[in-house]
Amino acid sequence: MKYHLITMGCPKNKVDSDGIEMLLQEGNYRATDSARDADILIVNTCGFLEAAKEESIDVLNELGRHKRRHQVLIAAGCLAQRNGQEVIDRVPKVDGLLGTRRWMEVLELVNQVRGGKSKRKLAQYQMLGDHALSVPALLDDPSAEYTLAVPRPPILGGSAYLKISDGCNAPCAFCTIPSFKGKLRSRPLEAIVDEANALVMAGAKELVIVAQDTTDYGRDRGEPNSLPQLLTALSRRTPDDLRWLRLMYAYPGHVSDELIEVMAREPKIVPYLDMPLQHGDARTLRRMRRPARLEMVYDHMSKLRAAMPNIALRTTFIVGYPGETEEEFQGLLDFVQAIEFDKVGAFKFSAEPGTPAAELPDPVDEEVQEERYARLMELQQPISLRKNQAQVGRQLEILIEGEGEIEGSGAPLLLGRSYRDAPEVDGLVLVPGISGVPAGSMLEVFINGAMEYDLVGEPLIVETFSSNKSNIALS
Ligand code: SF4
């Protein structure tokens, strides 16, 4: 029996997909890249933004159109959790819904559907586990689902995501996540350390720590600000094969001096922080129901840079939030100019039904949103380029992700990432003229070129290795 699984959305979804795959494989299902060959079709959907929701529905319907009689189509993930009825209404071929907190029941769901119950009884095939509904077992022990140590294969050349909590306590007015993920629920520290070790044993060299808000870890267990302890445990209780621990999704109000100290002290924690700030003008931030004290953010940035002079700082912003005046947008530009982040991502505001932001007056025209998005990215590009140019002349260790070709000449091109780049969202280090280095290897390179997003490097020749092209040192 085979399954075909498609993951939409963010890295947190990827973590759940890995768990779903592990369970299916334990149930004697094998993965296939071909939807046609599969017995089980699963889409782990994203319901975060309207565009992502539509994309998930399209993918489900595309699979549904070609679905054969024996095949089972399951919608899993955020959209199934949040808009289950809509999925049923708009995807006529769907057979089951699997929510974000009950993905570990995938085999039970598959068995129910394959049991041949009538499609009209689809409601019986839902395993949603909405925190607002009465769900047996798991809610009796809120941490039950998180105690699993999941030995998943690492992804993307030696890198794996490590999810430390789910749900969020923050009140951000534009965000739908708390409405379907519920309040913060942290996994026990020991379970996370066990999973980290299992991932390292399976070959992971990098663990990327994710959650809705990583910096709120432990609050629901009566231990607020316990991320520093968790990071210390992960650094010290994992084998040296683990080279990088990377922290994503920090919330500005929860970044503490202790966290900064631990990041600077523990060698496995890379000097990199992703802190989505959403805006840089206090008035907009207040309407977003986000921390609006910009001095606090400036303070974090200067402490982070003082403790780790080579730190790479990433953030994301929303442009065109309701009521965003030209003056407020200029406030954001001034903030970006003043802080000089290494990497900036941006989204145009999208009104999500059911959120307070969707009810706000004074929407910003789409054209104005487009124009502000372009101005923000135009401002950031030379900053990112300057930050990258400052890396020229440095010797950096990179994690190899794969190989490509130089356009035109067809010459080989090795693709890797340094500590300054998170997988899937940041840039790469390109090493021309080299091939045959396995994905997941670490390689020392000398940086000799810089672009806005990517760096260019050449391997440091340390000792003779048999490779296609050159003598390079691998680890
Ligand atoms: S912190 Fe992130 S996940 Fe939590 S409500 Fe705000 S935007 Fe949503």
Side-chain angles (χ1 to χ4, degrees):
M1 301 281 261
K2 294 182 188 163
Y3 67 88
H4 178 71
L5 186 148
I6 297 174
T7 303
M8 322 279 301
C10 67
K12 287 160 276 192
N13 244 20
K14 176 75 182 110
V15 176
D16 290 351
S17 284
D18 288 344
I20 290 172
E21 289 209 60
M22 182 203 71
L23 291 169
L24 287 169
Q25 285 166 13
E26 279 180 0
N28 286 325
Y29 287 90
R30 281 182 300 120
T32 172
D33 290 339
S34 155
R36 195 182 154 70
D37 290 349
D39 302 279
I40 314 292
L41 305 163
I42 303 181
V43 181
N44 196 1
T45 59
C46 174
F48 183 45
L49 297 174
E50 203 57 30
K53 177 174 136 184
E54 290 306 314
E55 199 184 343
S56 293
I57 296 268
D58 287 351
V59 171
L60 280 162
N61 273 324
E62 182 60 25
L63 289 174
R65 260 192 294 283
H66 303 285
K67 188 180 143 194
R68 293 183 295 156
R69 270 182 71 188
H70 75 281
Q71 291 185 309
V72 166
L73 176 60
I74 290 174
C78 298
L79 182 63
Q81 179 78 52
R82 181 182 162 206
N83 301 90
Q85 191 55 49
E86 187 176 347
V87 173
I88 292 169
D89 294 343
R90 294 183 58 195
V91 186
K93 296 282 182 64
V94 76
D95 296 302
L97 303 179
L98 186 65
T100 49
R101 291 198 160 171
R102 292 182 71 177
W103 58 260
M104 59 295 296
E105 292 174 66
V106 61
L107 284 170
E108 285 90 324
L109 181 65
V110 166
N111 289 338
Q112 276 191 20
V113 179
R114 292 180 70 85
K117 291 184 187 166
S118 138
K119 174 75 197 310
R120 273 176 284 119
K121 292 185 183 166
L122 184 67
Q124 293 187 347
Y125 305 152
Q126 297 179 16
M127 300 223 174
L128 293 176
D130 191 309
H131 60 284
L133 301 176
S134 125
V135 178
L138 285 177
L139 287 188
D140 294 342
D141 175 2
S143 64
E145 70 204 83
Y146 296 131
T147 56
L148 298 167
V150 187
R152 297 186 305 259
I155 55 149
L156 268 183
S159 181
Y161 291 103
L162 182 62
K163 190 163 160 181
I164 62 171
S165 66
D166 207 9
C168 184
N169 290 346
C172 308
F174 51 82
C175 182
T176 53
I177 287 176
S179 74
F180 59 92
K181 290 262 185 186
K183 292 276 182 204
L184 172 78
R185 289 164 73 184
S186 304
R187 297 177 62 195
L189 182 145
E190 290 303 323
I192 300 172
V193 173
D194 285 351
E195 187 180 345
N197 277 302
L199 289 164
V200 177
M201 294 296 286
K205 300 260 174 61
E206 173 186 41
L207 294 179
V208 183
I209 296 171
V210 293
Q212 264 71 44
D213 170 6
T214 51
T215 44
D216 209 18
Y217 175 73
R219 183 178 302 276
D220 53 313
R221 298 177 160 260
E223 294 164 357
N225 195 28
S226 50
L227 182 62
Q229 287 93 296
L230 173 65
L231 290 176
T232 305
L234 285 170
S235 299
R236 297 185 179 177
R237 292 170 53 196
T238 46
D240 288 344
D241 291 348
L242 176 65
R243 307 287 269 270
W244 294 346
L245 274 165
R246 182 185 300 281
L247 189 59
M248 305 295 286
Y249 312 131
Y251 185 80
H254 297 150
V255 171
S256 64
D257 290 352
E258 204 186 342
L259 173 64
I260 297 173
E261 271 166 39
V262 169
M263 287 179 70
R265 184 186 70 211
E266 296 297 330
K268 283 182 190 166
I269 305 175
V270 291
Y272 174 101
L273 187 65
D274 172 42
M275 191 192 303
L277 292 167
Q278 316 301 358
H279 212 275
D281 185 277
R283 292 160 290 189
T284 323
L285 284 166
R286 274 194 285 274
R287 286 198 306 285
M288 288 178 161
R289 303 188 188 170
R290 296 272 308 176
R293 244 180 7 95
L294 293 176
E295 312 80 66
M296 176 188 69
V297 179
Y298 283 109
D299 191 46
H300 288 335
M301 296 300 165
S302 58
K303 283 179 176 165
L304 284 160
R305 283 176 167 150
M308 292 164 277
N310 286 324
I311 192 169
L313 294 167
R314 173 186 175 80
T315 194
T316 39
F317 295 115
I318 296 173
V319 297
Y321 192 73
E324 184 189 62
T325 59
E326 180 55 32
E327 197 185 328
E328 290 178 13
F329 178 67
Q330 189 56 50
L332 168 61
L333 295 183
D334 294 345
F335 176 76
V336 169
Q337 187 76 66
I339 297 223
E340 299 202 323
F341 298 94
D342 294 77
K343 289 136 205 298
V344 168
F347 299 94
K348 286 165 269 175
F349 172 73
S350 147
E352 297 304 312
T355 59
E359 308 298 319
L360 286 175
D362 307 322
V364 176
D365 282 355
E366 217 172 307
E367 269 170 40
V368 178
Q369 285 195 347
E370 284 287 348
E371 182 248 352
R372 288 182 182 169
Y373 175 87
R375 276 162 69 197
L376 173 60
M377 295 324 273
E378 246 168 60
L379 175 75
Q380 177 59 33
Q381 275 162 6
I383 300 174
S384 292
L385 178 61
R386 248 193 341 270
K387 297 274 178 181
N388 271 354
Q389 283 167 339
Q391 308 306 311
V392 174
R394 281 186 80 189
Q395 188 174 318
L396 294 177
E397 192 175 39
I398 64 170
L399 180 55
I400 304 302
E401 285 201 342
E403 284 183 19
E405 280 182 2
I406 297 174
E407 221 177 292
S409 74
L413 185 66
L414 204 56
L415 310 173
R417 276 185 298 110
S418 78
Y419 78 87
R420 302 183 77 256
D421 297 298
E424 302 182 276
V425 290
D426 291 328
L428 292 169
V429 178
L430 313 173
V431 187
I434 301 290
S435 66
V437 181
S441 312
M442 307 287 300
L443 178 66
E444 286 280 327
V445 296
F446 177 79
I447 302 298
N448 57 13
M451 296 170 278
E452 274 153 15
Y453 299 108
D454 301 327
L455 295 172
V456 182
E458 58 183 281
L460 289 166
I461 299 173
V462 181
E463 59 183 279
T464 304
F465 263 77
S466 58
S467 132
N468 283 6
K469 178 83 188 210
S470 111
N471 303 329
I472 49 180
L474 300 175
S475 59

